[in-house]
Amino acid sequence: LARAHEANGAPKKALDAMERRLKIAQDFGDIVGESEAFSALGEIWFRFGHDGQALYWHNEQLSHARMHNNIAQQIAALEHVAACHSGGGNESASIEHNMQRLNLCVKVGNEKGEMKAKSDLAESY
C-alpha cells in the first residue's frame, strides 16, 4: 500500500502506511519487518527530498541492526546514512559512514559490498 501511494505521488499516505507497518511489526516482535519498515521510511523521505527525515529513519535502521547484530542490515543502513549525509552536503560524515561500511564488508568477506563501498568512497573524493 505504501509503495502504491508513493508511486501515485502521495508521500504522506505512503509514510502513514509504512508507519502502520512499523507499528504492527513492533507489536508482533517482527525484527525483520521492523528493519524493513525503518529502511522504507528512510527511502520514502529521501526520494521526496527530505534528507534530514531520511537520515533519522536510516539511523533508526542502523541502531536496530546493531542491537540485533544483523550485519546485512548494518551494511545497508550505513549505505543509506552515507547517502543522506552526501545529499545534505555533509561529505565528511558521508565518507565516515562509507568507511564504516567498507570495514564491515571487509570484516565479513562481502566482496560485492566492499566494491560498492570503495566506489562510493571514490565518488566522494
Side-chain angles (χ1 to χ4, degrees):
L1 182 59
R3 298 291 183 208
H5 285 309
E6 186 180 358
N8 289 326
K12 176 71 172 117
K13 288 182 179 182
L15 291 165
D16 289 345
M18 195 53 65
E19 285 176 1
R20 284 193 304 274
R21 178 179 179 209
L22 174 60
K23 175 77 170 105
I24 291 168
Q26 289 172 330
D27 288 348
F28 287 94
D30 178 2
I31 295 168
V32 173
E34 280 182 84
S35 186
E36 290 173 350
F38 287 137
S39 179
L41 283 162
E43 290 171 19
I44 293 167
W45 279 110
F46 189 78
R47 279 193 287 277
F48 286 97
H50 297 276
D51 296 336
Q53 282 296 101
L55 182 59
Y56 169 82
W57 287 108
H58 287 307
N59 273 321
E60 288 293 308
Q61 176 191 11
L62 180 57
S63 295
H64 184 265
R66 285 178 172 157
M67 180 173 63
H68 294 287
N69 199 30
N70 184 329
I71 302 299
Q73 282 297 319
Q74 288 179 51
I75 292 168
L78 285 164
E79 181 176 2
H80 293 300
V81 168
C84 289
H85 281 303
S86 182
N90 189 347
E91 282 303 317
S92 63
S94 178
I95 291 168
E96 176 186 331
H97 285 89
N98 276 322
M99 285 299 298
Q100 288 178 27
R101 179 168 51 118
L102 174 60
N103 291 334
L104 192 54
C105 288
V106 168
K107 180 179 176 181
V108 298
N110 179 340
E111 292 179 14
K112 184 177 178 184
E114 179 182 343
M115 296 301 289
K116 176 75 170 95
K118 286 179 180 177
S119 173
D120 290 347
L121 281 164
E123 288 178 18
S124 295
Y125 286 103

